[in-house]
Amino acid sequence: MIAGRAGATTATGVAHGLGIEPAPCAVEEFPDGELRPRVGSMIGDDVYVVAPTGPPTSSAVVELLLLLDACRRSGAARVSAVVPYFAYARQDRRGSAGEALGARVIADVLEAAGAQRVLVVDPHTTALEAMFSVPVETVTAVPTLLDAVAGDLATQSVVVAPDLGAAKLAQRVGSRLSIGVAVVRKTRTSGRTVEATEVVGDVADRAVLLVDDMVSTGATLETATRVVLAHGARPDVSVLATHGLFVGDALARLDALPLRRVVVADTVPVTVDRSWISVRSIAPVLAEAISRLHGAVRT
Ligand code: R5P
């Protein structure tokens, strides 16, 4: 196993879970931003490259591509891309004429660079698998995140999906916790702004557990929170989201909300510091998945 710079902590945790040591790997960055990775000999090895593609997204993608290529050229028998946070998965279809199909482009270049298998955590879309011709394995952080909130759930809570895309996740969490579900109708107006006014389901006088795959600028959570509060929800909001990107104005937006806590996994390194942010390790889930995949190679 080797790790890109953003995947180092996760890889150490995964390697620990597997009882191995990560292999040496260095990524040098030139003053112009160009990257040059270097790995050791990998002749005949089944190699797992751990590299989330979180912000800065474009350079993280390039770093992953170069690492895959370096492993392939160093003799690896098989190279798997372990991408805890898979960027561009929101571009799984063209919203309007003239756009690119971003998820497909990233899938193509990962394969071209040498990925023979891909392991991702809670991708934004289940359509991601269909973008690749190599096998894609998906694991989830949701049970890990739920463990963190289950013991501290306010009485009379409701699970809220902040948009239609999160409705299935909200259903899963609602049945797991045996509580009701509501869905906010959201429209994205730009990369940084969203609008919503409607809630389907009863949130009046209930504490709120918002669930989503990711927190990026916080616009979705902010808007959903304001809408449920306007519909009578208690100012007691918890958030469960796999990927905590916290970019742009996210912290200022979220600081202004009545948050009990925001629980995220470490699928990208969480460098921001707030008392209401709680981070859970995804390493045990990845270690279990890799152990299964590696076993499948040997049999
Ligand atoms: C969108 O469909 C996703 O599931 C998230 O709701 C969204 O990407 C979060 O982004 P932001 O925090 O910028 O609203």
Side-chain angles (χ1 to χ4, degrees), residues 189-208:
T189 41
S190 79
R192 292 170 191 276
T193 53
V194 299
E195 279 173 6
T197 49
E198 252 188 276
V199 185
V200 181
D202 193 5
V203 297
D205 203 28
R206 285 176 165 74
V208 172

Side-chain angles (χ1 to χ4, degrees), residues 1 72 144 162 179 189 191 228 252 280:
M1 171 172 311
R72 180 175 59 170
T144 306
I179 56 178
T189 41
V228 293
R280 291 292 183 269

Side-chain angles (χ1 to χ4, degrees), residues 90 124 163 186 188 191 212-220:
R90 287 180 287 183
H124 175 72
D163 56 27
K186 168 187 106 176
R188 182 165 285 286
D212 207 350
D213 59 320
M214 63 195 281
V215 185
S216 183
T217 66
T220 300

Side-chain angles (χ1 to χ4, degrees), residues 53 70 80 82 96-97 130 134 141 155 161 177 182 240 249 271 276-277:
T53 51
S80 299
V82 180
S96 57
V134 299
T155 50
L177 298 173
L240 185 153
D249 296 333
T271 51
W276 41 262
I277 298 179

Side-chain angles (χ1 to χ4, degrees), residues 1-8 11 22-30 34-42 49-51 62-71 74:
M1 171 172 311
I2 65 154
R5 292 169 298 176
C25 166
V27 179
E28 183 184 358
E29 182 162 349
F30 287 85
E34 194 174 302
L35 302 174
R36 180 165 67 177
R38 188 162 300 153
V39 302
S41 168
M42 298 185 158
V49 179
V50 182
V62 172
E63 182 171 325
L64 171 57
L65 294 172
L66 296 178
L67 286 168
L68 292 168
D69 187 66
C71 293
S74 297

Side-chain angles (χ1 to χ4, degrees), residues 218-233:
T220 300
L221 293 181
E222 181 191 30
T223 304
T225 300
R226 299 211 183 283
V227 171
V228 293
L229 292 177
H231 283 75

